[in-house]
Amino acid sequence: MTQPPEPGRPPQGDGGAHDPTQVAFGKNPQPPTQPQQPPAQSPAPSAPPAAPAPAPAGPGTPPHAQPAAGYGYPQTPPMPNPYLQQPGGQPPQYGYPQPATLPASPPAGQRSEAERKALRAQVAIVVSAVAAIALIIGGGVWYSGSKGDDTGPVAGGGGDGKAGGGGAEKVPSDPSARLLFELEQPKVDKGLQVTVQGSWLTEDAYVKSGSSEITAYDPASGAEKWSIPLPGPVCFASRHVTGDGRTAIVHEPAIPTAETRSTGCSEVTALDLAAGKKLWTKNARTGDRPVRFDNVTVSGTTVAAGSGYGGAAWDLADGGSLWQPKPGDTCNDYGYGGGKALVALRKCTSAAAQMLIQTIDPKKGTVLSEYKMPEGVEYASVVSTDPLVIAADVGRSAGDGSGISDLFSIDAATGELRAKISAPGDTYAGDCDGVTRVEQCANMAVAGDRLYLPTEEHTTGGADAGRTNEVVAFDLATGKAGRKADAGDGWALAPLRADGPDVIAYKRGPYDKGGQVVSIDGTTMKQTVLLQMPNDEKARDVEIEFSPDHQEFLYSAGRLYMSQVYVRDTDQADEKLVVAYGTKG
């Protein structure tokens, strides 16, 4: 039976790095002396709508499923009337909200920094509102009006000739890239837009989510190795993979159609990527309804999923329940960060309560340490669990919709604050979605005991100046800025991940040059080119369709994989699901 939206649900839109209604990266026309510019970023809503008065609890509805005063989540907006026409006389498609018209903008290279930032914030507000409505209603599918052990995200790499000051990535003899393979986007029904979040690397496969399946490909040729069918689209995917190739996803229990509504992102499935099989599928319930999860992560042998109604966890091996949401609990784990440790982001219903950052025992769920976030923090994101780094927009002061005004370095053993790093939105270009996808942070990396954060792009000076940026290293013990890596005139750096004490970064090139993957030495900040993208016009046209702000980038062992996180009904046959490049030497 079709269920109404749950009361008091937080918005489930991406709100950050992967919003499909964004202006496409690099599509603004560029003057000859300017590089391609990234789109405005889409963060968490900067001003949640006022909560409606709580409805009386109905039969079988647990008390904690009602809107809680002061809980901090934006409330579910009213459903549109499918029988009423939209402004302009156009009927809505299937009664679902349509993507908003984004503010018009001049070419990115012709905007001033102030204009660019103002546009970014404006687009963020518009897009976040659409994302919140659409995914509350549609779960992992958007109804589109447009046509058309130690765990980590990457396994593999290594060898002699290592880059930087001790990373595992090998410096190739020839970093020139060649196209390895391209994967076509899966077909979706007319008017639908489907999430395909999730991409992983194992020792012998590149694995990617499809519209309702998980498929492994040969990492060099793209030949299909195996496929795991799913009953519905993937909503969220853990970016962590265990040493033996296991991870977890959240997906819908069925494939929505134009005639049926989504039942929400309720199913948690553990996957063995090494063996190419599904381990188990579980859900949690509040009363007679399944919990709609907003995120999922893996830490050690534990899978944990968070939501506005509380968190649940299962044993990765057999799916045995470790903990479930507790009816009547006044505090809920709305999200988890995984990897080397398990961290819970906990919110309470009391208006005066502060958000809690808790390092927890992944088997028992007991609290090992706790840090209280400052007043004025409504949401937070986990940048790293070891060392523990949390990002937040304190008092909504970032001003650019990035979800970050400050970063907090916390001692996970004691819960004591080590350092607070100020990262004003007009200076630094990190981006997080702390509303739901609490591990969804782009353009930053933690390596060793340092945080690597890029600056916003700025002009290099002079009449014919291009744009550039830097990556700044912050000491997590003191919070002080140290050395920096300069991108160079016309280039822009975006950290992707740690490589031991070093950082792997994507380096977007000027309009007439292909990009690069570089290793940044964690001590000297010296850059070493690991991959030089092709420089022909066709390859550049493909490359600018992808951005680490908005799509998934994985680099390992001389290969770069760029993949979409949404696919839609489209007439554009040249849109690819995945594009993979590898070095020649």
Side-chain angles (χ1 to χ4, degrees), residues 12 44 47 78 85 100 138 169 178 203 222 226 231 291 303 321 363 379 445 520 531:
Q12 296 191 31
Q85 289 193 331
E169 291 297 340
R178 60 185 177 88
E203 292 293 339
W226 50 259
V291 173
V303 175
S321 177
K363 279 295 187 183
Y379 307 101
I520 302 176
L531 182 73

Side-chain angles (χ1 to χ4, degrees), residues 373-393:
M373 294 294 285
E375 293 183 5
V377 174
E378 298 178 46
Y379 307 101
S381 299
V382 180
V383 180
S384 169
T385 60
D386 183 19
L388 180 54
V389 180
I390 302 295
D393 187 357

Side-chain angles (χ1 to χ4, degrees), residues 210-485:
S211 58
S212 58
E213 67 281 329
I214 304 292
T215 305
Y217 304 91
D218 183 279
S221 68
E224 184 173 324
K225 296 171 70 72
W226 50 259
S227 187
I228 300 172
L230 298 171
V234 174
C235 305
F236 313 107
S238 173
R239 63 186 182 89
H240 302 289
V241 181
T242 64
D244 57 355
R246 298 185 176 192
T247 192
I249 59 174
V250 172
H251 60 87
E252 296 195 52
I255 298 177
T257 68
E259 291 75 30
T260 62
R261 263 198 51 193
S262 163
T263 53
C265 305
S266 60
E267 307 304 292
V268 178
T269 290
L271 303 170
D272 186 333
L273 303 180
K277 66 179 182 180
K278 180 168 64 176
L279 298 175
W280 48 261
T281 297
K282 302 287 182 178
N283 59 33
R285 307 188 75 82
T286 57
D288 60 349
R289 295 193 296 183
V291 173
R292 298 183 180 185
F293 290 109
D294 300 319
N295 48 77
V296 66
T297 197
V298 172
S299 180
T301 58
T302 295
V303 175
S307 80
Y309 292 138
W314 299 267
D315 185 274
L316 180 57
D318 59 16
S321 177
L322 300 177
W323 63 85
Q324 297 277 309
K326 299 178 178 63
D329 195 348
T330 58
C331 294
N332 294 314
D333 294 349
Y334 81 89
Y336 296 97
K340 293 183 178 179
L342 186 61
V343 172
L345 279 65
R346 194 161 178 80
K347 293 191 73 170
C348 300
T349 56
S350 169
Q354 293 172 278
M355 178 181 292
L356 305 176
I357 308 299
Q358 298 177 333
T359 299
I360 59 178
D361 184 304
K363 279 295 187 183
K364 302 175 182 177
T366 54
V367 177
L368 303 176
S369 69
E370 178 178 285
Y371 173 74
K372 290 185 177 181
M373 294 294 285
E375 293 183 5
V377 174
E378 298 178 46
Y379 307 101
S381 299
V382 180
V383 180
S384 169
T385 60
D386 183 19
L388 180 54
V389 180
I390 302 295
D393 187 357
V394 181
R396 301 179 188 169
S397 60
D400 64 344
S402 65
I404 306 171
S405 66
D406 298 272
L407 294 114
F408 299 80
S409 173
I410 301 168
D411 188 324
T414 64
E416 302 273 334
L417 180 67
R418 300 176 66 201
K420 179 181 174 183
I421 299 169
S422 177
D426 59 354
T427 303
Y428 294 100
D431 189 88
C432 291
D433 175 17
V435 177
T436 55
R437 303 183 182 190
V438 299
E439 288 189 292
Q440 191 72 60
C441 287
N443 291 339
M444 64 182 71
V446 173
D449 203 30
R450 294 186 181 94
L451 168 70
Y452 295 84
L453 196 62
T455 65
E456 289 283 0
E457 291 183 37
H458 54 84
T459 58
T460 57
D464 298 324
R467 300 185 68 83
T468 188
N469 78 336
E470 300 80 35
V471 170
V472 181
F474 290 88
D475 189 309
L476 291 176
T478 65
K480 293 181 179 180
R483 294 175 181 264
K484 65 179 181 179

Side-chain angles (χ1 to χ4, degrees), residues 173-188:
S173 58
D174 182 358
S176 301
R178 60 185 177 88
L179 178 67
L180 298 177
F181 61 87
E182 297 175 325
L183 300 179
E184 301 297 325
Q185 292 195 9
K187 301 296 182 182
V188 298

Side-chain angles (χ1 to χ4, degrees), residues 44-247:
S46 62
T61 303
H64 72 288
Q66 301 303 317
Y71 192 76
Y73 283 113
Q75 302 301 308
T76 303
M79 287 283 291
N81 187 335
Y83 301 103
L84 296 180
Q85 289 193 331
Q86 301 292 331
Q90 297 300 318
Q93 293 196 12
Y94 320 124
Y96 287 87
Q98 304 301 303
T101 300
L102 298 182
S105 62
Q110 298 175 4
R111 292 196 296 264
S112 69
E113 183 73 7
E115 290 170 335
R116 190 168 65 88
K117 295 298 293 181
L119 177 65
R120 177 183 177 186
Q122 184 182 5
V123 172
I125 293 171
V126 173
V127 172
S128 294
V130 175
I133 296 171
L135 282 183
I136 286 172
I137 295 172
V141 174
W142 285 23
Y143 284 74
S144 172
S146 60
K147 193 167 183 176
D149 3 322
D150 181 19
T151 55
V154 176
D160 297 329
K162 296 176 181 177
E169 291 297 340
K170 181 180 179 181
V171 179
S173 58
D174 182 358
S176 301
R178 60 185 177 88
L179 178 67
L180 298 177
F181 61 87
E182 297 175 325
L183 300 179
E184 301 297 325
Q185 292 195 9
K187 301 296 182 182
V188 298
D189 289 346
K190 183 177 178 61
L192 293 184
Q193 186 159 262
V194 181
T195 60
V196 287
Q197 188 187 47
S199 56
W200 307 269
L201 282 168
T202 68
E203 292 293 339
D204 59 359
Y206 169 77
V207 187
K208 176 63 184 171
S209 294
S211 58
S212 58
E213 67 281 329
I214 304 292
T215 305
Y217 304 91
D218 183 279
S221 68
E224 184 173 324
K225 296 171 70 72
W226 50 259
S227 187
I228 300 172
L230 298 171
V234 174
C235 305
F236 313 107
S238 173
R239 63 186 182 89
H240 302 289
V241 181
T242 64
D244 57 355
R246 298 185 176 192
T247 192

